[in-house]
Amino acid sequence: MPRCSFLFFRRATRAAWTGAPLAHAPKRVIARHRAIGDRIRAALLHANLSQEQAAPRAGMTLAPYNRIEQGHSASLIDSLIRIADAIGVPLADLVRE
């Protein structure tokens, strides 16, 4: 694999895992990310967990977990599934409208 392709792949997969910034996203998309973050926060409180406890359970470090919960970055469905499993709620509870 050529080096430039490897670097592109590495950056692309890292951005996908940690979540890309939402700076250029439409307002409706940003609002939905924040609503998902609010539901994650509510589920954490209900489960009596902190971010520090939930992030490792989800297989994530605290920084990307926090960005997802705060609605500051886009997240992969894989990340949301891991978070839902770590908190012990169905994925649908986090993404419902």
Side-chain angles (χ1 to χ4, degrees):
M1 178 182 265
R3 183 164 172 75
C4 62
S5 296
F6 174 73
L7 290 176
F8 173 78
F9 175 76
R10 192 167 145 205
R11 284 188 195 122
T13 54
R14 184 182 312 138
W17 175 251
T18 60
L22 294 174
H24 301 293
K27 289 182 181 180
R28 64 182 171 74
V29 172
I30 293 170
R32 298 223 23 219
H33 279 274
R34 290 192 178 140
I36 290 170
D38 291 344
R39 288 188 209 104
I40 291 171
R41 211 168 302 108
L44 272 179
L45 289 173
H46 187 264
N48 220 11
L49 292 172
S50 67
Q51 287 183 346
E52 291 81 8
Q53 294 168 315
R57 287 182 176 194
M60 304 172 77
T61 60
L62 187 57
Y65 181 93
N66 183 275
R67 284 194 302 271
I68 292 169
E69 185 179 312
Q70 297 298 317
H72 294 303
S73 68
S75 58
L76 286 177
I77 191 71
D78 295 359
S79 299
L80 293 177
I81 290 169
R82 288 173 178 233
I83 291 170
D85 289 348
I87 299 171
V89 298
L91 177 62
D93 286 0
L94 302 181
V95 297
R96 66 178 161 68
E97 287 196 60

